[in-house]
Amino acid sequence: MHDAKRQVTAFNPKSTALRRKLWVRMQTPDGPQLFFIWSRIFKLSAGLLILGWLGSATALWAFVKYQRGITAVSFVDVAFLPFRRAEYRASLGRHYFEAAQRQMEEQRWGEAIFSLRAAIARTPDNFAARRLLAEIMFTTRQPLVALRILEDGLKYAAEDGAYLEMVLTQLRGQRQPARALEIADGLLPAAPNTTPVHRMIAWQSALALHELKHHSEARERISQWHLERSPEGRFLLTEISVALGQTDRALLDLQQELQRNPANEAAAVQLTRLLLDLKRPDEARRAAMLRALSHAGSAGALLDLLSIEWQTQRMADYERTVSDYLSRHATDPGALSMLATFAAENALPELAERILVTARTQSLSTDFFLYAHLLAQCSAGQYHPALATAAELDQATNLSPPLAAAAMLLKGWAHLGNGNTAESEPLIQRAILLPQLTVAL
């Protein structure tokens, strides 16, 4: 700004002569004096600050959005970052989570793990990200890491019943009922109430107590929270009675449950199993028949019935039930697989062959049914026919690696049964060394 000398004795910043000036040197009775127009200086400084702030915010926003590819972030969050830090971190969390989903679809697992960890670091209450990351850890056989990821989210999930239930269920599934019970007891209020989340936690704690064989405490927990009002609660009470050796009480509870709710198939299954354990096959068969009648579409009901008939050597009834089963469930691969598993486990190659023929008639995939037939033949000592089945299985083009490894082992077994050790030993040794070898049935 240039200086201007004025022959005036009074300073008037509103004078037209001083327009657009920030300061002026004027002649006064005391000599030359410098006057600042502070209002203009303040306005100009504020304008420059705002322009600088907007320019910096725009540059930072453009860098984040276009250079780093985080399109979810908003300009407002960047511009007011000190005041909108939480919103900015939430935007970053969404970006990394969406990136992880894309990477998982493309099977870029390493990048997906990085993105999920980044999403969780910025939004710790992103339970979906925690679930996905934990699933990857479980899949890669790192259960302790997976459980820690899930547990770290508990502090943000006080009212998220679905997440709490999933964490407690996973802990129990990983054989850590004591830890599940510790967490559940820490979340339960002092007095029972009807809040759904608290009732779910109480239920999980009762299950954990039962798994820890603290059966009396589990029964008390069920009673405290009135969990016996649900079919699941009554079912658990029956299991507790069985565990405590109170079989008469368990039978009575199951019979009353079925009278109250005939559609409760789980109770019918438990009643049948209990009667078989108590060596009361006739009553078990009657219970299985009632279940089959009540659940006409249930493959499991018919399978239980024919299993009891086979065990009790009611062969005419058994043959009739098998024919009924194959007629009803001829087009259901899952139901046929259940029956094939039964045939293989009980060394029934004739039944396994009938199932295979049914699958072929219905144009179903026969890989598993061929395998079940092969296992049933080997278990029954039919080694020559087993080699023919193994040769047919060798022609399968879409056999899964675990099934292929198990079939190789069975083929070696068949050769060994025929006394051909030169063929059997290499097959068995190769199969045992395969990492894919699993128990298929």
Side-chain angles (χ1 to χ4, degrees):
M1 298 292 176
H2 64 277
D3 296 338
K5 297 182 179 180
R6 299 283 186 267
Q7 297 297 324
V8 293
T9 57
F11 170 63
N12 181 9
K14 296 181 179 180
S15 170
T16 57
L18 302 182
R19 186 177 298 167
R20 297 189 182 89
K21 296 183 181 298
L22 300 179
W23 63 81
V24 64
R25 180 177 293 176
M26 300 183 66
Q27 191 68 32
T28 68
D30 298 326
Q33 187 172 350
L34 189 64
F35 291 91
F36 291 94
I37 306 177
W38 291 110
S39 60
R40 294 178 187 173
I41 292 174
F42 287 144
K43 290 176 181 177
L44 179 63
S45 299
L48 291 174
L49 283 173
I50 291 172
L51 287 174
W53 163 63
L54 288 174
S56 300
T58 301
L60 179 58
W61 173 73
F63 171 77
V64 170
K65 184 167 185 175
Y66 298 108
Q67 290 295 319
R68 295 184 61 187
I70 305 176
T71 56
V73 71
S74 73
F75 176 78
V76 173
D77 292 340
V78 174
F80 296 94
L81 185 58
F83 309 102
R84 295 183 63 86
R85 185 176 180 83
E87 289 80 1
Y88 177 69
R89 289 177 65 84
S91 297
L92 290 180
R94 286 194 301 273
H95 164 76
Y96 284 116
F97 181 58
E98 291 168 1
Q101 290 177 306
R102 291 193 301 271
Q103 290 155 357
M104 289 178 70
E105 289 176 0
E106 298 166 3
Q107 297 187 353
R108 293 151 52 195
W109 302 111
E111 296 174 48
I113 290 172
F114 172 82
S115 296
L116 287 170
R117 289 191 181 279
I120 293 170
R122 288 157 179 81
T123 50
D125 59 346
N126 188 336
F127 302 129
R130 289 187 181 276
R131 287 191 186 96
L132 286 178
L133 184 56
E135 286 175 10
I136 295 175
M137 295 298 107
F138 280 127
T139 303
T140 56
R141 299 184 180 180
Q142 300 180 68
L144 296 180
V145 176
L147 291 175
R148 185 169 65 250
I149 291 167
L150 294 175
E151 281 193 50
D152 288 345
L154 288 173
K155 66 184 75 171
Y156 309 101
E159 299 302 324
D160 192 323
Y163 185 80
L164 292 172
E165 184 174 19
M166 186 264 293
V167 175
L168 295 173
T169 302
Q170 286 287 1
L171 283 167
R172 291 176 34 248
Q174 293 297 321
R175 299 182 181 179
Q176 294 193 35
R179 178 60 181 152
L181 180 62
E182 179 184 355
I183 292 172
D185 285 347
L187 295 171
L188 282 176
N193 57 49
T194 58
T195 304
V197 171
H198 293 159
R199 288 181 61 78
M200 178 277 298
I201 296 170
W203 168 246
Q204 289 289 333
S205 68
L207 289 171
L209 285 166
H210 177 52
E211 290 165 6
L212 290 167
K213 302 189 185 305
H214 300 166
H215 303 303
S216 298
E217 294 176 53
R219 180 178 281 169
E220 183 180 356
R221 184 66 54 89
I222 291 171
S223 176
Q224 287 174 341
W225 286 82
H226 302 294
L227 300 175
E228 74 282 354
R229 295 174 180 173
S230 69
E232 295 81 7
R234 294 191 291 272
F235 188 87
L236 182 56
L237 280 175
T238 302
E239 289 192 341
I240 290 171
S241 296
V242 172
L244 292 172
Q246 301 169 351
T247 53
D248 289 341
R249 177 173 179 174
L251 286 172
L252 180 62
D253 288 343
L254 286 170
Q255 289 163 353
Q256 290 177 343
E257 174 62 23
L258 288 170
Q259 289 175 358
R260 181 168 41 242
N261 183 13
N264 188 341
E265 191 170 8
V269 172
Q270 192 179 29
L271 177 60
T272 304
R273 300 284 191 274
L274 181 55
L275 288 167
L276 285 173
D277 291 342
L278 295 174
K279 311 298 183 186
R280 294 156 69 170
D282 291 339
E283 294 178 64
R285 179 173 178 271
R286 184 163 54 252
M289 287 183 66
L290 288 172
R291 177 187 166 206
L293 291 170
S294 300
H295 303 84
S298 171
L302 275 180
L303 185 60
D304 272 358
L305 179 58
L306 69 85
S307 174
I308 293 170
E309 290 169 344
W310 181 79
Q311 292 176 45
T312 56
Q313 292 299 292
R314 293 174 171 267
M315 301 313 295
D317 293 330
Y318 164 76
E319 290 294 341
R320 186 166 49 252
T321 306
V322 167
S323 298
D324 189 18
Y325 190 106
L326 291 173
S327 174
R328 291 189 189 188
H329 303 290
T331 60
D332 184 349
L336 292 179
S337 296
M338 290 168 56
L339 187 58
T341 301
F342 169 78
E345 288 177 344
N346 292 282
L348 299 171
E350 294 78 10
L351 174 59
E353 186 174 9
R354 288 179 66 182
I355 300 166
L356 179 59
V357 170
T358 301
R360 283 175 172 154
T361 302
Q362 299 298 327
S363 300
L364 302 176
S365 173
T366 58
D367 292 350
F368 179 78
F369 304 115
L370 276 168
Y371 171 76
H373 190 205
L374 176 59
L375 179 54
Q377 287 171 321
C378 289
S379 300
Q382 297 181 2
Y383 300 119
H384 285 292
L387 287 176
T389 304
E392 191 175 357
L393 198 54
D394 286 340
Q395 303 304 313
T397 56
N398 296 318
L399 205 61
S400 67
L403 209 57
M408 184 186 298
L409 185 64
L410 291 179
K411 187 176 180 180
W413 182 6
H415 277 298
L416 185 63
N418 285 318
N420 189 350
T421 56
E423 291 284 347
S424 68
E425 289 182 1
L427 286 170
I428 293 172
Q429 290 173 0
R430 283 172 54 198
I432 289 174
L433 292 175
L434 288 173
Q436 300 91 346
L437 182 63
T438 60
V439 179
L441 289 176

